[in-house]
Amino acid sequence: MDKDLQTRILNAVDARFDAQTEFLSELTAHPSTRGNEQGAQDFMASELADRGYKVDRWEIDVDDIRHMPGFSPVIGTYEEAVNVVGAHESATRKGRSLILNGHIDVVPEGPLDMWDTPPYDPRVDDGWMYGRGAGDMKAGLASNLFALDAIRDCGFAPAADVYFQSVVEEECTGNGALACLQRGYRADAALIPEPFAESLVTAQVGVLWFQVHLQGLPTHVAYAGSGANAIEAAVPLIAALHEMEARWNTDQAKHPEYGHVHHPLNLNVGKIEGGDWTSSVPAWCVFDVRMGLFPGQDIDAAKAEIETVLTDAAQKNEFLRNNMPQVIYNGFQAEGYALAEDGSDTATRAISALELAHGAVTGGELDKVSITATTDARFFGLYADTPALVYGPKAEAIHGFNERVDLESVRRVTQTTALFIARWCQLESL
């Protein structure tokens, strides 16, 4: 790339960065938890339209995607679950096309008294922006948009079609990104600026969500010996699942991209509820579990093993052997994805373009990481033959309290993204 043009693009990001920070603050102020994304998506659609992009805004129809590979069972309904895509249509199409993907949904904020300041009242302190979703991943959405702005400010546009995607459902199913594939959005590569500290994600785990339902025998606590406590019955089942987790993390079971990671697959009991009255022996209990999977690990085989583990543990319990636990799968049925295993020329070129852009901005080499979480990259890499590059800013406490993102890291990622777009898509005059 011409050095003068490269400098102009970097300076254009700098010139707009105050506006980008204000944009990120306004976007973070929208409490876009699952089912409440409409306001944030309205904001995104308006911003895209104001910039002249062709805006596609649609409500996801489960019947359109339930047959597709990668679909995850829906939790509740999809009423008003809306995706937004802004399309740049190139005049020359001399470069390679690109999807700039990001998710608008955020995880629940939890108890407000555990935040130093309100989670949807963003603040900047010592170079960090605080707020739920600021890091995961509204800063990434801002980086994608303002990278395109910087290129335009230099008098250019991508010389290939670019699809800016703001999707829902990433935090629980990924069905928002899947709906974009069903809608027909395809490109030569995808870039997803999830917050992994300016490193390229070369492998990500899969994730399986399930619920375990138990039924006990209700009685007054004064006669507890004659009843069966459904909450206490969950304890040996959870212990058995953790024993399975340990087996899946042995060195012999690890995927090659995770050979250096001590404990890549994590089982988490995220919720548990049961019983109806403090002085009644609980007659029911439900606990929700998240379990990681390696790339290439078969989901159906994983389900079968989980069910066998629970059945075997229940058989050892006098009450449970006659009241077997019921397993219900809801939410993530996400396969793992390893960009490192994509030996295609397209993937090699995309990674090289990102390495060059990252080096131009930071002066260093691009670090590569295998992460123990999942992202929407799997949909592009596994089901659309599209290398998906996950590369975003540094953030902390992204599912915890006082979530925050490093604004200087956001600046660098925006600059890197703009240079990557210029290299990958090439440029055409406005």
Side-chain angles (χ1 to χ4, degrees):
M1 180 187 296
D2 177 79
K3 291 276 188 177
D4 178 65
L5 176 58
Q6 179 174 289
T7 300
R8 288 171 59 197
I9 291 173
L10 298 180
N11 289 340
V13 171
D14 286 339
R16 275 187 178 257
F17 196 67
D18 285 346
Q20 182 175 346
T21 302
E22 292 175 7
F23 172 94
L24 175 57
S25 179
E26 185 170 354
L27 185 59
T28 303
H30 289 273
S32 53
T33 51
R34 186 178 189 275
N36 300 298
E37 304 96 343
Q38 299 89 344
Q41 290 292 59
D42 287 344
F43 176 72
M44 290 302 309
S46 175
E47 291 288 326
L48 290 164
D50 288 348
R51 288 164 167 80
Y53 296 113
K54 181 180 178 181
V55 177
D56 184 13
R57 189 179 192 277
W58 78 99
E59 186 174 309
I60 300 172
D61 187 336
V62 175
D63 289 336
D64 288 341
I65 60 174
R66 68 169 70 252
H67 65 284
M68 297 179 68
F71 174 76
S72 292
V74 174
I75 305 170
T77 67
Y78 270 171
E79 185 177 352
E80 298 187 59
V82 172
N83 276 345
V84 172
V85 174
H88 159 73
E89 296 178 345
S90 168
T92 63
R93 289 192 170 92
K94 65 181 181 181
R96 300 181 185 89
S97 58
L98 181 65
I99 289 169
L100 296 171
N101 173 276
H103 67 87
I104 200 74
D105 55 314
V106 302
V107 298
E109 61 276 6
L112 297 182
D113 62 1
M114 297 187 73
W115 288 74
D116 290 345
T117 54
Y120 300 112
D121 186 10
R123 64 183 174 92
V124 175
D125 184 7
D126 196 26
W128 294 79
M129 181 178 289
Y130 289 74
R132 171 59 83 228
D136 188 14
M137 61 167 292
K138 291 176 178 178
L141 285 165
S143 293
N144 282 345
L145 187 61
F146 279 79
L148 292 169
D149 287 349
I151 290 170
R152 179 177 293 187
D153 289 346
C154 293
F156 295 97
D161 292 345
V162 175
Y163 303 108
F164 179 102
Q165 299 179 349
S166 177
V167 303
V168 296
E169 285 287 296
E170 191 274 348
E171 296 286 5
C172 55
T173 63
N175 287 342
L178 183 63
C180 288
L181 294 181
Q182 188 276 332
R183 195 81 165 178
Y185 291 107
R186 296 289 195 280
D188 295 314
L191 180 68
I192 307 177
E194 291 273 15
F196 290 106
E198 300 172 61
S199 297
L200 174 64
V201 174
T202 53
Q204 63 182 50
V205 300
V207 171
L208 185 62
W209 277 12
F210 58 95
Q211 289 183 332
V212 181
H213 290 244
L214 302 173
Q215 289 187 335
L217 183 63
T219 186
H220 190 281
V221 70
Y223 308 103
S226 62
N229 188 312
I231 293 176
E232 292 182 0
V235 174
L237 300 185
I238 293 171
L241 288 171
H242 279 299
E243 290 174 2
M244 180 196 74
E245 174 193 19
R247 292 195 298 273
W248 287 11
N249 278 287
T250 59
D251 288 343
Q252 298 89 334
K254 285 182 181 177
H255 183 279
E257 291 298 315
Y258 290 90
H260 63 290
V261 181
H262 170 62
H263 193 281
L265 300 185
N266 294 306
L267 182 141
N268 182 60
V269 180
K271 292 195 301 181
I272 186 167
E273 57 181 341
D276 301 294
W277 190 250
T278 305
S279 289
S280 296
V281 175
W284 63 277
C285 178
V286 177
F287 61 94
D288 290 58
V289 183
R290 176 265 195 206
M291 184 64 213
L293 308 170
F294 285 121
Q297 188 171 351
D298 184 78
I299 287 181
D300 288 336
K303 288 180 180 179
E305 185 168 350
I306 287 166
E307 292 166 19
T308 297
V309 164
L310 291 170
T311 298
D312 289 349
Q315 291 288 354
K316 299 174 184 177
N317 181 283
E318 182 178 357
F319 168 73
L320 286 176
R321 73 170 62 105
N322 296 312
N323 298 271
M324 298 301 290
Q326 180 185 12
V327 181
I328 296 176
Y329 298 96
N330 60 356
F332 279 124
Q333 291 193 36
E335 295 184 84
Y337 166 60
L339 174 66
E341 295 178 341
D342 187 342
S344 68
D345 180 66
T346 302
T348 300
R349 288 175 180 270
I351 293 169
S352 176
L354 185 62
E355 287 174 332
L356 290 169
H358 174 87
V361 172
T362 68
E365 293 187 3
L366 177 61
D367 289 333
K368 299 177 175 65
V369 296
S370 299
I371 62 171
T372 58
T374 192
T375 77
D376 280 342
R378 65 188 183 278
F379 293 102
F380 306 104
L382 296 178
Y383 313 125
D385 195 26
T386 302
L389 281 60
V390 176
Y391 172 90
K394 179 181 179 181
E396 295 180 353
I398 57 174
H399 279 203
F401 306 108
N402 300 318
E403 178 182 345
R404 54 200 176 272
V405 65
D406 181 340
L407 291 176
E408 282 306 308
S409 180
V410 174
R411 184 198 301 265
R412 290 191 297 271
V413 166
T414 307
Q415 291 176 324
T416 298
T417 300
L419 295 183
F420 172 77
I421 293 169
R423 288 182 177 278
W424 181 253
C425 299
Q426 302 184 48
L427 299 178
E428 60 192 25
S429 297
L430 289 174

